[in-house]
Amino acid sequence: MSLIILGIETSCDETAAAIYSQQHGALSNELFSQVDLHKEYGGVVPEIASRSHIEKINFIVEKALKKAGKVLEDIDVVAVTHRPGLPGSLLIGVCFAKGLAWAQQKKIIGINHLEGHVFSSFLDNKPPFPHICLTASGGHTAMYLVKGFGDYQLIGQTLDDAAGEAFDKIAKLLDLPYPGGPVIEKLAREENFQDYFHYPRSTADSLDFSFSGLKTAVLYDLVKKGAYELKAKKQSSLLTEKLKREVASSLLVAIKDIFIKKIKLALTQNPDIKAVTFVGGVACNKFIKNAFAEFCKEHNLNFFSPAPQFCTDNAAMIALVGNYKAKHNLFSDYSLDIF
Ligand code: KG4
Ligand code: ZN
């Protein structure tokens, strides 16, 4: 029997639902992005996020069903992100999924959001095992050794800020809008990705990441240039558009270098690796993606990065993991909670 899975994702600031068919893959992938609601605060406000999830979830699930040409009765399994994430946001998805599964007498599976990202590259590709997966988003930055579906191991992670968080926080320093990643990439392109200021790259021989030092380096460099007033915590008139572009460009090159260095080290420690995958919101970055593709080509490795709609938070990746868990009878019950 070919199962139909409804995926639900509400771990942060996207209300998402998708329908996944065991036979045909993702049939729909719908979401409501709250970016505009959080923009004026320069980051996600948890209370606003959970309220918005309540308002949108019904509509988004209906939209996903309609787009896939399915009705609730066609669904066999409800797969829902139950950790990690903002507690108030996760609760909306989990309670909604439990209610729906109970009312319709469907099976339910709780999915780890990060496992969703790790296997998101299978939504539009078939990366061989074993491979290294670099997950970089606003909330997480981690490297995994992936040996099979459900068989993966954390080999490195950020000790402080996530890579996306670094883009977002530095964008705020530069008085640029949230989320910072896309706008920093745009400004960096206008400077031809030149490395003007050579911000520090970690020299540690470890697979762990650290991005908070990068933020501090940018901050003090701006202060030194007179472009940021530390006491008043605000930009001065010396923060010109040209300087913004130069900082953005140097930052992007620094983050690319850090990623490549960590992947290189991971490959030396795991010589049987067949491919590298790059997932999460930061994987929308074409400059970093191209650098990875080039690096992998030079090292005779396959490289995979999902289409942008599968890089940022989405429910299709949650439904995909739900699919292989269902195949192995790894169901949850109604005691499913958010931790
Ligand atoms: O995966 P995602 O949608 O949400 C989380 O799980 O956090 O990732 C959002 C993050 C934000 O920090 C955003 O700045 C970053 O992904 N991002 C990018 C780009 N597009 C989104 N970072 C760098 N370059 C981009 N083009
Ligand atoms: Zn995510």
Side-chain angles (χ1 to χ4, degrees), residues 11-14 113 117 136-140 163-168 178-185 252 279-286 288 311-314 317:
S11 67
C12 190
D13 60 343
E14 258 103 26
H113 178 80
H117 276 304
S137 67
H140 313 275
E165 198 177 351
F167 279 117
D168 297 339
Y178 170 85
V183 63
I184 285 179
E185 181 175 15
L252 187 47
V279 303
V282 178
C284 292
N285 193 293
K286 288 200 188 94
I288 303 180
C311 283
T312 45
D313 284 352
N314 66 88
M317 67 185 190

PDB file of all heavy atoms in Angstrom, residues 11-14 113 117 136-140 163-168 178-185 252 279-286 288 311-314 317, ligand 1:
ATOM      1  N   SER A  11       7.791  25.151  13.723  1.00  0.00           N
ATOM      2  CA  SER A  11       8.778  25.269  14.801  1.00  0.00           C
ATOM      3  C   SER A  11       9.294  26.683  15.026  1.00  0.00           C
ATOM      4  O   SER A  11       9.789  27.007  16.086  1.00  0.00           O
ATOM      5  CB  SER A  11       9.955  24.326  14.555  1.00  0.00           C
ATOM      6  OG  SER A  11      10.675  24.749  13.429  1.00  0.00           O
ATOM      7  N   CYS A  12       9.172  27.543  13.996  1.00  0.00           N
ATOM      8  CA  CYS A  12       9.699  28.910  14.156  1.00  0.00           C
ATOM      9  C   CYS A  12       8.721  29.932  13.583  1.00  0.00           C
ATOM     10  O   CYS A  12       7.646  30.122  14.153  1.00  0.00           O
ATOM     11  CB  CYS A  12      11.082  29.000  13.515  1.00  0.00           C
ATOM     12  SG  CYS A  12      11.926  30.529  13.903  1.00  0.00           S
ATOM     13  N   ASP A  13       9.050  30.526  12.458  1.00  0.00           N
ATOM     14  CA  ASP A  13       8.186  31.598  11.947  1.00  0.00           C
ATOM     15  C   ASP A  13       7.574  31.278  10.586  1.00  0.00           C
ATOM     16  O   ASP A  13       7.234  32.174   9.832  1.00  0.00           O
ATOM     17  CB  ASP A  13       8.953  32.936  11.896  1.00  0.00           C
ATOM     18  CG  ASP A  13      10.172  32.877  10.989  1.00  0.00           C
ATOM     19  OD1 ASP A  13      10.610  31.766  10.656  1.00  0.00           O
ATOM     20  OD2 ASP A  13      10.676  33.946  10.601  1.00  0.00           O
ATOM     21  N   GLU A  14       7.463  29.977  10.276  1.00  0.00           N
ATOM     22  CA  GLU A  14       6.766  29.593   9.054  1.00  0.00           C
ATOM     23  C   GLU A  14       5.659  28.597   9.408  1.00  0.00           C
ATOM     24  O   GLU A  14       5.928  27.599  10.073  1.00  0.00           O
ATOM     25  CB  GLU A  14       7.714  28.904   8.061  1.00  0.00           C
ATOM     26  CG  GLU A  14       8.159  29.794   6.939  1.00  0.00           C
ATOM     27  CD  GLU A  14       9.581  30.298   7.134  1.00  0.00           C
ATOM     28  OE1 GLU A  14      10.347  29.600   7.811  1.00  0.00           O
ATOM     29  OE2 GLU A  14       9.901  31.381   6.623  1.00  0.00           O
ATOM     30  N   HIS A 113      12.882  18.430  13.776  1.00  0.00           N
ATOM     31  CA  HIS A 113      13.044  19.432  12.706  1.00  0.00           C
ATOM     32  C   HIS A 113      14.398  19.287  11.989  1.00  0.00           C
ATOM     33  O   HIS A 113      14.485  19.411  10.760  1.00  0.00           O
ATOM     34  CB  HIS A 113      12.932  20.823  13.346  1.00  0.00           C
ATOM     35  CG  HIS A 113      13.112  21.958  12.409  1.00  0.00           C
ATOM     36  ND1 HIS A 113      12.105  22.409  11.585  1.00  0.00           N
ATOM     37  CD2 HIS A 113      14.190  22.748  12.156  1.00  0.00           C
ATOM     38  CE1 HIS A 113      12.559  23.428  10.871  1.00  0.00           C
ATOM     39  NE2 HIS A 113      13.818  23.655  11.195  1.00  0.00           N
ATOM     40  N   HIS A 117      15.632  18.725   7.997  1.00  0.00           N
ATOM     41  CA  HIS A 117      16.627  19.439   7.184  1.00  0.00           C
ATOM     42  C   HIS A 117      17.657  18.454   6.606  1.00  0.00           C
ATOM     43  O   HIS A 117      18.004  18.528   5.425  1.00  0.00           O
ATOM     44  CB  HIS A 117      17.356  20.495   8.006  1.00  0.00           C
ATOM     45  CG  HIS A 117      16.629  21.804   8.118  1.00  0.00           C
ATOM     46  ND1 HIS A 117      16.231  22.530   7.010  1.00  0.00           N
ATOM     47  CD2 HIS A 117      16.227  22.530   9.191  1.00  0.00           C
ATOM     48  CE1 HIS A 117      15.626  23.640   7.402  1.00  0.00           C
ATOM     49  NE2 HIS A 117      15.606  23.666   8.714  1.00  0.00           N
ATOM     50  N   ALA A 136      22.658  24.657   7.732  1.00  0.00           N
ATOM     51  CA  ALA A 136      22.904  26.019   8.214  1.00  0.00           C
ATOM     52  C   ALA A 136      21.635  26.849   8.075  1.00  0.00           C
ATOM     53  O   ALA A 136      21.145  27.062   6.966  1.00  0.00           O
ATOM     54  CB  ALA A 136      24.049  26.665   7.423  1.00  0.00           C
ATOM     55  N   SER A 137      21.094  27.263   9.221  1.00  0.00           N
ATOM     56  CA  SER A 137      19.867  28.058   9.165  1.00  0.00           C
ATOM     57  C   SER A 137      19.948  29.168  10.199  1.00  0.00           C
ATOM     58  O   SER A 137      21.006  29.426  10.765  1.00  0.00           O
ATOM     59  CB  SER A 137      18.658  27.159   9.419  1.00  0.00           C
ATOM     60  OG  SER A 137      18.695  26.702  10.752  1.00  0.00           O
ATOM     61  N   GLY A 138      18.802  29.806  10.467  1.00  0.00           N
ATOM     62  CA  GLY A 138      18.797  30.894  11.442  1.00  0.00           C
ATOM     63  C   GLY A 138      18.935  30.381  12.867  1.00  0.00           C
ATOM     64  O   GLY A 138      19.429  31.080  13.747  1.00  0.00           O
ATOM     65  N   GLY A 139      18.492  29.150  13.090  1.00  0.00           N
ATOM     66  CA  GLY A 139      18.510  28.602  14.446  1.00  0.00           C
ATOM     67  C   GLY A 139      19.598  27.564  14.682  1.00  0.00           C
ATOM     68  O   GLY A 139      19.936  27.266  15.827  1.00  0.00           O
ATOM     69  N   HIS A 140      20.130  26.983  13.600  1.00  0.00           N
ATOM     70  CA  HIS A 140      21.071  25.866  13.771  1.00  0.00           C
ATOM     71  C   HIS A 140      22.188  25.904  12.735  1.00  0.00           C
ATOM     72  O   HIS A 140      21.979  26.314  11.605  1.00  0.00           O
ATOM     73  CB  HIS A 140      20.346  24.520  13.595  1.00  0.00           C
ATOM     74  CG  HIS A 140      19.077  24.447  14.350  1.00  0.00           C
ATOM     75  ND1 HIS A 140      19.012  24.086  15.663  1.00  0.00           N
ATOM     76  CD2 HIS A 140      17.805  24.744  13.982  1.00  0.00           C
ATOM     77  CE1 HIS A 140      17.770  24.163  16.081  1.00  0.00           C
ATOM     78  NE2 HIS A 140      17.010  24.555  15.082  1.00  0.00           N
ATOM     79  N   ALA A 163      24.859  30.190  11.715  1.00  0.00           N
ATOM     80  CA  ALA A 163      25.366  31.002  10.595  1.00  0.00           C
ATOM     81  C   ALA A 163      24.311  32.022  10.141  1.00  0.00           C
ATOM     82  O   ALA A 163      24.628  33.196   9.913  1.00  0.00           O
ATOM     83  CB  ALA A 163      25.766  30.099   9.438  1.00  0.00           C
ATOM     84  N   GLY A 164      23.056  31.576  10.038  1.00  0.00           N
ATOM     85  CA  GLY A 164      21.982  32.486   9.620  1.00  0.00           C
ATOM     86  C   GLY A 164      21.811  33.612  10.622  1.00  0.00           C
ATOM     87  O   GLY A 164      21.544  34.766  10.262  1.00  0.00           O
ATOM     88  N   GLU A 165      21.978  33.256  11.899  1.00  0.00           N
ATOM     89  CA  GLU A 165      21.871  34.247  12.973  1.00  0.00           C
ATOM     90  C   GLU A 165      22.974  35.299  12.807  1.00  0.00           C
ATOM     91  O   GLU A 165      22.747  36.490  13.048  1.00  0.00           O
ATOM     92  CB  GLU A 165      22.045  33.503  14.296  1.00  0.00           C
ATOM     93  CG  GLU A 165      21.558  34.219  15.511  1.00  0.00           C
ATOM     94  CD  GLU A 165      21.725  33.330  16.754  1.00  0.00           C
ATOM     95  OE1 GLU A 165      22.053  32.121  16.630  1.00  0.00           O
ATOM     96  OE2 GLU A 165      21.538  33.871  17.858  1.00  0.00           O
ATOM     97  N   ALA A 166      24.175  34.863  12.398  1.00  0.00           N
ATOM     98  CA  ALA A 166      25.279  35.802  12.176  1.00  0.00           C
ATOM     99  C   ALA A 166      24.904  36.772  11.055  1.00  0.00           C
ATOM    100  O   ALA A 166      25.078  37.987  11.180  1.00  0.00           O
ATOM    101  CB  ALA A 166      26.561  35.047  11.829  1.00  0.00           C
ATOM    102  N   PHE A 167      24.337  36.232   9.957  1.00  0.00           N
ATOM    103  CA  PHE A 167      23.893  37.115   8.866  1.00  0.00           C
ATOM    104  C   PHE A 167      22.838  38.100   9.393  1.00  0.00           C
ATOM    105  O   PHE A 167      22.888  39.289   9.079  1.00  0.00           O
ATOM    106  CB  PHE A 167      23.283  36.290   7.722  1.00  0.00           C
ATOM    107  CG  PHE A 167      24.302  35.672   6.797  1.00  0.00           C
ATOM    108  CD1 PHE A 167      24.417  34.294   6.672  1.00  0.00           C
ATOM    109  CD2 PHE A 167      25.133  36.475   6.031  1.00  0.00           C
ATOM    110  CE1 PHE A 167      25.351  33.728   5.810  1.00  0.00           C
ATOM    111  CE2 PHE A 167      26.070  35.917   5.159  1.00  0.00           C
ATOM    112  CZ  PHE A 167      26.172  34.544   5.063  1.00  0.00           C
ATOM    113  N   ASP A 168      21.897  37.589  10.182  1.00  0.00           N
ATOM    114  CA  ASP A 168      20.793  38.437  10.656  1.00  0.00           C
ATOM    115  C   ASP A 168      21.285  39.514  11.623  1.00  0.00           C
ATOM    116  O   ASP A 168      20.877  40.672  11.545  1.00  0.00           O
ATOM    117  CB  ASP A 168      19.708  37.588  11.329  1.00  0.00           C
ATOM    118  CG  ASP A 168      19.069  36.599  10.356  1.00  0.00           C
ATOM    119  OD1 ASP A 168      19.166  36.827   9.129  1.00  0.00           O
ATOM    120  OD2 ASP A 168      18.489  35.593  10.805  1.00  0.00           O
ATOM    121  N   TYR A 178      15.597  42.485   8.099  1.00  0.00           N
ATOM    122  CA  TYR A 178      15.564  41.063   8.439  1.00  0.00           C
ATOM    123  C   TYR A 178      14.751  40.316   7.368  1.00  0.00           C
ATOM    124  O   TYR A 178      13.750  40.859   6.914  1.00  0.00           O
ATOM    125  CB  TYR A 178      14.906  40.892   9.820  1.00  0.00           C
ATOM    126  CG  TYR A 178      14.596  39.465  10.180  1.00  0.00           C
ATOM    127  CD1 TYR A 178      15.575  38.659  10.754  1.00  0.00           C
ATOM    128  CD2 TYR A 178      13.330  38.925   9.921  1.00  0.00           C
ATOM    129  CE1 TYR A 178      15.294  37.340  11.067  1.00  0.00           C
ATOM    130  CE2 TYR A 178      13.058  37.606  10.232  1.00  0.00           C
ATOM    131  CZ  TYR A 178      14.031  36.825  10.808  1.00  0.00           C
ATOM    132  OH  TYR A 178      13.764  35.523  11.107  1.00  0.00           O
ATOM    133  N   PRO A 179      15.110  39.115   6.954  1.00  0.00           N
ATOM    134  CA  PRO A 179      16.308  38.369   7.321  1.00  0.00           C
ATOM    135  C   PRO A 179      17.546  38.886   6.570  1.00  0.00           C
ATOM    136  O   PRO A 179      17.452  39.325   5.428  1.00  0.00           O
ATOM    137  CB  PRO A 179      15.973  36.940   6.897  1.00  0.00           C
ATOM    138  CG  PRO A 179      14.956  37.086   5.803  1.00  0.00           C
ATOM    139  CD  PRO A 179      14.229  38.365   6.040  1.00  0.00           C
ATOM    140  N   GLY A 180      18.696  38.811   7.242  1.00  0.00           N
ATOM    141  CA  GLY A 180      19.907  39.428   6.711  1.00  0.00           C
ATOM    142  C   GLY A 180      20.544  38.703   5.544  1.00  0.00           C
ATOM    143  O   GLY A 180      21.141  39.335   4.665  1.00  0.00           O
ATOM    144  N   GLY A 181      20.436  37.364   5.518  1.00  0.00           N
ATOM    145  CA  GLY A 181      21.139  36.570   4.505  1.00  0.00           C
ATOM    146  C   GLY A 181      20.932  37.035   3.074  1.00  0.00           C
ATOM    147  O   GLY A 181      21.912  37.347   2.365  1.00  0.00           O
ATOM    148  N   PRO A 182      19.675  37.116   2.614  1.00  0.00           N
ATOM    149  CA  PRO A 182      19.458  37.484   1.206  1.00  0.00           C
ATOM    150  C   PRO A 182      19.978  38.874   0.871  1.00  0.00           C
ATOM    151  O   PRO A 182      20.575  39.075  -0.189  1.00  0.00           O
ATOM    152  CB  PRO A 182      17.929  37.432   1.053  1.00  0.00           C
ATOM    153  CG  PRO A 182      17.449  36.593   2.195  1.00  0.00           C
ATOM    154  CD  PRO A 182      18.436  36.745   3.302  1.00  0.00           C
ATOM    155  N   VAL A 183      19.797  39.845   1.771  1.00  0.00           N
ATOM    156  CA  VAL A 183      20.221  41.212   1.456  1.00  0.00           C
ATOM    157  C   VAL A 183      21.752  41.313   1.480  1.00  0.00           C
ATOM    158  O   VAL A 183      22.352  42.022   0.651  1.00  0.00           O
ATOM    159  CB  VAL A 183      19.496  42.239   2.371  1.00  0.00           C
ATOM    160  CG1 VAL A 183      19.828  42.052   3.826  1.00  0.00           C
ATOM    161  CG2 VAL A 183      19.837  43.663   1.992  1.00  0.00           C
ATOM    162  N   ILE A 184      22.392  40.566   2.379  1.00  0.00           N
ATOM    163  CA  ILE A 184      23.864  40.579   2.412  1.00  0.00           C
ATOM    164  C   ILE A 184      24.421  39.959   1.128  1.00  0.00           C
ATOM    165  O   ILE A 184      25.378  40.459   0.537  1.00  0.00           O
ATOM    166  CB  ILE A 184      24.385  39.881   3.689  1.00  0.00           C
ATOM    167  CG1 ILE A 184      24.163  40.849   4.869  1.00  0.00           C
ATOM    168  CG2 ILE A 184      25.862  39.480   3.560  1.00  0.00           C
ATOM    169  CD1 ILE A 184      24.569  40.386   6.215  1.00  0.00           C
ATOM    170  N   GLU A 185      23.770  38.906   0.658  1.00  0.00           N
ATOM    171  CA  GLU A 185      24.224  38.289  -0.597  1.00  0.00           C
ATOM    172  C   GLU A 185      24.086  39.278  -1.760  1.00  0.00           C
ATOM    173  O   GLU A 185      24.979  39.398  -2.606  1.00  0.00           O
ATOM    174  CB  GLU A 185      23.434  37.004  -0.899  1.00  0.00           C
ATOM    175  CG  GLU A 185      23.929  36.350  -2.179  1.00  0.00           C
ATOM    176  CD  GLU A 185      23.280  35.014  -2.496  1.00  0.00           C
ATOM    177  OE1 GLU A 185      22.239  34.690  -1.904  1.00  0.00           O
ATOM    178  OE2 GLU A 185      23.826  34.304  -3.366  1.00  0.00           O
ATOM    179  N   LEU A 252      30.464  37.621   3.772  1.00  0.00           N
ATOM    180  CA  LEU A 252      30.047  36.433   3.022  1.00  0.00           C
ATOM    181  C   LEU A 252      31.252  35.561   2.652  1.00  0.00           C
ATOM    182  O   LEU A 252      31.209  34.327   2.784  1.00  0.00           O
ATOM    183  CB  LEU A 252      29.282  36.880   1.767  1.00  0.00           C
ATOM    184  CG  LEU A 252      28.616  35.792   0.936  1.00  0.00           C
ATOM    185  CD1 LEU A 252      27.838  34.828   1.813  1.00  0.00           C
ATOM    186  CD2 LEU A 252      27.693  36.395  -0.100  1.00  0.00           C
ATOM    187  N   VAL A 279      22.145  22.174   3.272  1.00  0.00           N
ATOM    188  CA  VAL A 279      20.701  22.390   3.483  1.00  0.00           C
ATOM    189  C   VAL A 279      20.454  23.491   4.518  1.00  0.00           C
ATOM    190  O   VAL A 279      21.382  23.938   5.185  1.00  0.00           O
ATOM    191  CB  VAL A 279      20.023  21.072   3.939  1.00  0.00           C
ATOM    192  CG1 VAL A 279      20.240  19.949   2.940  1.00  0.00           C
ATOM    193  CG2 VAL A 279      20.551  20.631   5.322  1.00  0.00           C
ATOM    194  N   GLY A 280      19.181  23.884   4.675  1.00  0.00           N
ATOM    195  CA  GLY A 280      18.821  24.956   5.619  1.00  0.00           C
ATOM    196  C   GLY A 280      18.764  26.289   4.888  1.00  0.00           C
ATOM    197  O   GLY A 280      19.252  26.406   3.750  1.00  0.00           O
ATOM    198  N   GLY A 281      18.201  27.299   5.531  1.00  0.00           N
ATOM    199  CA  GLY A 281      17.986  28.602   4.893  1.00  0.00           C
ATOM    200  C   GLY A 281      19.226  29.209   4.266  1.00  0.00           C
ATOM    201  O   GLY A 281      19.150  29.801   3.186  1.00  0.00           O
ATOM    202  N   VAL A 282      20.385  29.044   4.910  1.00  0.00           N
ATOM    203  CA  VAL A 282      21.615  29.647   4.386  1.00  0.00           C
ATOM    204  C   VAL A 282      22.017  28.996   3.054  1.00  0.00           C
ATOM    205  O   VAL A 282      22.721  29.603   2.240  1.00  0.00           O
ATOM    206  CB  VAL A 282      22.756  29.573   5.437  1.00  0.00           C
ATOM    207  CG1 VAL A 282      24.055  30.148   4.911  1.00  0.00           C
ATOM    208  CG2 VAL A 282      22.344  30.301   6.723  1.00  0.00           C
ATOM    209  N   ALA A 283      21.534  27.765   2.819  1.00  0.00           N
ATOM    210  CA  ALA A 283      21.852  27.064   1.565  1.00  0.00           C
ATOM    211  C   ALA A 283      21.135  27.705   0.367  1.00  0.00           C
ATOM    212  O   ALA A 283      21.336  27.291  -0.777  1.00  0.00           O
ATOM    213  CB  ALA A 283      21.515  25.578   1.677  1.00  0.00           C
ATOM    214  N   CYS A 284      20.311  28.736   0.613  1.00  0.00           N
ATOM    215  CA  CYS A 284      19.737  29.506  -0.509  1.00  0.00           C
ATOM    216  C   CYS A 284      20.817  30.387  -1.119  1.00  0.00           C
ATOM    217  O   CYS A 284      20.627  30.942  -2.203  1.00  0.00           O
ATOM    218  CB  CYS A 284      18.611  30.417  -0.022  1.00  0.00           C
ATOM    219  SG  CYS A 284      17.161  29.539   0.527  1.00  0.00           S
ATOM    220  N   ASN A 285      21.928  30.543  -0.409  1.00  0.00           N
ATOM    221  CA  ASN A 285      22.986  31.456  -0.853  1.00  0.00           C
ATOM    222  C   ASN A 285      23.754  30.870  -2.047  1.00  0.00           C
ATOM    223  O   ASN A 285      24.494  29.890  -1.909  1.00  0.00           O
ATOM    224  CB  ASN A 285      23.945  31.713   0.319  1.00  0.00           C
ATOM    225  CG  ASN A 285      24.874  32.864   0.038  1.00  0.00           C
ATOM    226  OD1 ASN A 285      25.725  32.771  -0.835  1.00  0.00           O
ATOM    227  ND2 ASN A 285      24.700  33.946   0.755  1.00  0.00           N
ATOM    228  N   LYS A 286      23.574  31.516  -3.199  1.00  0.00           N
ATOM    229  CA  LYS A 286      24.156  30.980  -4.445  1.00  0.00           C
ATOM    230  C   LYS A 286      25.682  31.038  -4.416  1.00  0.00           C
ATOM    231  O   LYS A 286      26.357  30.151  -4.941  1.00  0.00           O
ATOM    232  CB  LYS A 286      23.646  31.778  -5.647  1.00  0.00           C
ATOM    233  CG  LYS A 286      22.199  31.495  -5.955  1.00  0.00           C
ATOM    234  CD  LYS A 286      21.897  31.914  -7.403  1.00  0.00           C
ATOM    235  CE  LYS A 286      20.428  31.832  -7.705  1.00  0.00           C
ATOM    236  NZ  LYS A 286      19.710  33.118  -7.515  1.00  0.00           N
ATOM    237  N   ILE A 288      27.764  30.761  -1.808  1.00  0.00           N
ATOM    238  CA  ILE A 288      28.322  29.663  -1.002  1.00  0.00           C
ATOM    239  C   ILE A 288      28.075  28.324  -1.711  1.00  0.00           C
ATOM    240  O   ILE A 288      28.940  27.452  -1.754  1.00  0.00           O
ATOM    241  CB  ILE A 288      27.719  29.643   0.430  1.00  0.00           C
ATOM    242  CG1 ILE A 288      27.952  30.987   1.121  1.00  0.00           C
ATOM    243  CG2 ILE A 288      28.308  28.502   1.252  1.00  0.00           C
ATOM    244  CD1 ILE A 288      27.387  31.086   2.542  1.00  0.00           C
ATOM    245  N   CYS A 311      15.024  24.372   1.130  1.00  0.00           N
ATOM    246  CA  CYS A 311      16.140  24.755   2.026  1.00  0.00           C
ATOM    247  C   CYS A 311      15.594  25.444   3.262  1.00  0.00           C
ATOM    248  O   CYS A 311      15.919  25.080   4.393  1.00  0.00           O
ATOM    249  CB  CYS A 311      17.090  25.733   1.330  1.00  0.00           C
ATOM    250  SG  CYS A 311      18.183  24.942   0.147  1.00  0.00           S
ATOM    251  N   THR A 312      14.764  26.483   3.055  1.00  0.00           N
ATOM    252  CA  THR A 312      14.183  27.182   4.196  1.00  0.00           C
ATOM    253  C   THR A 312      13.149  26.255   4.842  1.00  0.00           C
ATOM    254  O   THR A 312      12.784  25.218   4.270  1.00  0.00           O
ATOM    255  CB  THR A 312      13.503  28.488   3.731  1.00  0.00           C
ATOM    256  OG1 THR A 312      12.742  28.196   2.574  1.00  0.00           O
ATOM    257  CG2 THR A 312      14.527  29.544   3.385  1.00  0.00           C
ATOM    258  N   ASP A 313      12.680  26.623   6.028  1.00  0.00           N
ATOM    259  CA  ASP A 313      11.751  25.748   6.748  1.00  0.00           C
ATOM    260  C   ASP A 313      10.543  25.408   5.877  1.00  0.00           C
ATOM    261  O   ASP A 313       9.944  26.289   5.260  1.00  0.00           O
ATOM    262  CB  ASP A 313      11.297  26.435   8.043  1.00  0.00           C
ATOM    263  CG  ASP A 313      12.386  26.384   9.089  1.00  0.00           C
ATOM    264  OD1 ASP A 313      13.395  25.690   8.862  1.00  0.00           O
ATOM    265  OD2 ASP A 313      12.213  27.029  10.140  1.00  0.00           O
ATOM    266  N   ASN A 314      10.216  24.117   5.838  1.00  0.00           N
ATOM    267  CA  ASN A 314       9.101  23.657   5.010  1.00  0.00           C
ATOM    268  C   ASN A 314       8.540  22.362   5.590  1.00  0.00           C
ATOM    269  O   ASN A 314       9.195  21.709   6.412  1.00  0.00           O
ATOM    270  CB  ASN A 314       9.572  23.447   3.564  1.00  0.00           C
ATOM    271  CG  ASN A 314      10.575  22.305   3.460  1.00  0.00           C
ATOM    272  OD1 ASN A 314      10.201  21.141   3.301  1.00  0.00           O
ATOM    273  ND2 ASN A 314      11.868  22.601   3.583  1.00  0.00           N
ATOM    274  N   MET A 317       9.821  18.404   3.925  1.00  0.00           N
ATOM    275  CA  MET A 317      10.921  17.625   4.527  1.00  0.00           C
ATOM    276  C   MET A 317      10.426  16.860   5.763  1.00  0.00           C
ATOM    277  O   MET A 317      10.930  15.783   6.074  1.00  0.00           O
ATOM    278  CB  MET A 317      12.112  18.542   4.862  1.00  0.00           C
ATOM    279  CG  MET A 317      11.844  19.549   5.969  1.00  0.00           C
ATOM    280  SD  MET A 317      13.257  20.670   6.202  1.00  0.00           S
ATOM    281  CE  MET A 317      12.771  21.500   7.727  1.00  0.00           C
TER     282      MET A 317
HETATM  283  O1  KG4 B   1      15.899  27.405   7.537  1.00  0.00           O
HETATM  284  P1  KG4 B   1      15.360  28.771   7.794  1.00  0.00           P
HETATM  285  O2  KG4 B   1      14.219  29.242   6.934  1.00  0.00           O
HETATM  286  O3  KG4 B   1      14.839  28.923   9.266  1.00  0.00           O
HETATM  287  C1  KG4 B   1      15.459  28.394  10.372  1.00  0.00           C
HETATM  288  O4  KG4 B   1      15.295  27.192  10.671  1.00  0.00           O
HETATM  289  O5  KG4 B   1      16.167  29.211  11.013  1.00  0.00           O
HETATM  290  O6  KG4 B   1      16.597  29.790   7.700  1.00  0.00           O
HETATM  291  C2  KG4 B   1      16.464  31.165   7.838  1.00  0.00           C
HETATM  292  C3  KG4 B   1      17.853  31.764   7.811  1.00  0.00           C
HETATM  293  C4  KG4 B   1      17.901  33.245   8.145  1.00  0.00           C
HETATM  294  O7  KG4 B   1      18.853  33.458   9.153  1.00  0.00           O
HETATM  295  C5  KG4 B   1      18.330  33.903   6.830  1.00  0.00           C
HETATM  296  O8  KG4 B   1      19.125  35.066   7.002  1.00  0.00           O
HETATM  297  C6  KG4 B   1      19.122  32.787   6.170  1.00  0.00           C
HETATM  298  O9  KG4 B   1      18.439  31.610   6.511  1.00  0.00           O
HETATM  299  N1  KG4 B   1      19.148  32.959   4.704  1.00  0.00           N
HETATM  300  C7  KG4 B   1      20.285  33.202   4.032  1.00  0.00           C
HETATM  301  C8  KG4 B   1      19.908  33.387   2.662  1.00  0.00           C
HETATM  302  N2  KG4 B   1      18.554  33.220   2.576  1.00  0.00           N
HETATM  303  C9  KG4 B   1      18.111  32.944   3.848  1.00  0.00           C
HETATM  304  N3  KG4 B   1      21.545  33.308   4.443  1.00  0.00           N
HETATM  305  C10 KG4 B   1      22.491  33.583   3.512  1.00  0.00           C
HETATM  306  N4  KG4 B   1      22.206  33.790   2.215  1.00  0.00           N
HETATM  307  C11 KG4 B   1      20.934  33.704   1.738  1.00  0.00           C
HETATM  308  N5  KG4 B   1      20.674  33.914   0.447  1.00  0.00           N
END
